Amino acid sequence: MLSDNTFDTYPFITSQDNFIPMEKLLKVLGQEHVLEVLEFIQAHGKANFKDLKGLTKHPASVSRALRKLKDRKLIERAVLNDERRSVEYTLTDKGKCLVPIIEELKEIEDS
C-alpha cells in the first residue's frame, strides 16, 4: 500500500524542474493507451512504434499516447541510425518512478 510519504520520494512530484501536478499526471495516465504503452516499455526495457501499435487497432491513439508521455518527460524518444523512421522509446527516471505507483493503483482497483 502507499504510505503517507510515498509521493514525497518521487522526482516527478518533488523536483521543481520536473514537476507535474498530480491532477495533470492522473489525467495523462487516464488517457487512452497511456498505461498500456508505459507498461509495455517497462516490461521490455524499450520499444519501437511497430511493437507498440500492436496494442490496439488504432495506431493513431498509440501516437497520441507517446506524444503525451514524451511531453510530460515520462519517456524518451531516440532516433537510431540517423533514420527518422527508426525510433526507440525508453522510460525516463521519472517514468520509472511511476511503475510502483501504477502497480499500487492497480492493486487498489482489483481489491
Side-chain angles (χ1 to χ4, degrees):
M1 271 324 237
L2 295 174
S3 64
D4 291 339
N5 65 349
T6 298
F7 294 110
D8 294 337
T9 63
Y10 295 101
F12 62 88
I13 295 172
T14 59
S15 170
Q16 282 292 38
D17 295 336
N18 292 324
F19 183 76
I20 300 175
M22 184 59 68
E23 183 178 334
K24 287 184 179 181
L25 178 63
L26 291 174
K27 185 176 179 180
V28 169
L29 293 177
Q31 292 180 359
E32 188 176 32
H33 301 298
V34 167
L35 286 176
E36 292 96 328
V37 168
L38 275 174
E39 289 173 335
F40 187 96
I41 296 171
Q42 189 273 330
H44 296 88
K46 59 185 175 182
N48 60 40
F49 185 76
K50 185 177 180 181
D51 298 330
L52 296 168
K53 75 177 184 179
L55 297 173
T56 177
K57 295 177 184 175
H58 307 287
S61 61
V62 172
S63 294
R64 282 190 296 275
L66 288 167
R67 192 173 324 112
K68 294 285 184 186
L69 291 166
K70 186 175 170 290
D71 289 349
R72 300 299 187 280
K73 296 180 174 70
L74 298 172
I75 62 170
E76 292 178 320
R77 179 182 185 271
V79 178
L80 308 174
N81 304 327
D82 294 329
E83 291 183 33
R84 193 166 187 261
R85 291 182 176 260
S86 183
V87 174
E88 184 175 270
Y89 298 95
T90 57
L91 293 179
T92 62
D93 287 342
K94 190 167 34 171
K96 290 174 187 173
C97 286
L98 278 179
V99 173
I101 293 174
I102 291 168
E103 290 171 358
E104 291 283 346
L105 291 172
K106 284 186 169 195
E107 284 182 32
I108 291 169
E109 178 184 46
D110 293 339
S111 62

